[in-house]
Amino acid sequence: RNFHGILVTLKRYLEIDLAAKHVTVDSAAELDATTKESLVTKLTKQHGSDLTFEYRVNSALLGGIRIRKGDDVWDGTIKTRLENIASAF
């Protein structure tokens, strides 16, 4: 009887499932093909072969890369390290 509520919930579950299979890689400079291939190999080995990848360049990161897969974030950027040092003082 609550079809709209059921459909909204189903849509949200589908969005969560798709986000869990999408990997976004942010870097300060364009990654070369070898680095991209290495990332794909390691992540598909750990999380399965049904991942999709998106690469973005963000010069504000200063260096390093940030990888986001669903709700998981691995941040190895210089910007974040500097922010962590600044907040420690």
Side-chain angles (χ1 to χ4, degrees):
R1 300 192 188 274
N2 184 13
F3 295 111
H4 180 62
I6 293 169
L7 289 175
V8 168
T9 303
L10 181 60
K11 180 183 175 206
R12 181 66 188 137
Y13 284 143
L14 287 172
E15 289 171 349
I16 290 169
D17 187 51
L18 289 174
K21 295 177 183 179
H22 184 73
V23 178
T24 304
V25 180
D26 293 313
S27 60
E30 184 69 32
L31 298 176
D32 61 4
T34 305
T35 304
K36 288 180 181 180
E37 185 177 316
S38 175
L39 284 171
V40 169
T41 301
K42 288 178 184 177
L43 289 172
T44 55
K45 188 180 212 181
Q46 293 175 352
H47 302 282
S49 62
D50 58 346
L51 299 176
T52 59
F53 289 84
E54 175 185 0
Y55 299 94
R56 301 186 302 196
V57 176
N58 182 353
S59 60
L61 299 178
L62 303 175
I65 62 172
R66 178 185 307 136
I67 301 170
R68 179 183 305 270
K69 180 190 161 290
D71 291 335
D72 297 325
V73 178
W74 299 276
D75 195 336
T77 61
I78 293 174
K79 178 182 178 184
T80 300
R81 291 179 187 178
L82 290 174
E83 289 171 352
N84 290 341
I85 291 171
S87 66
F89 290 105

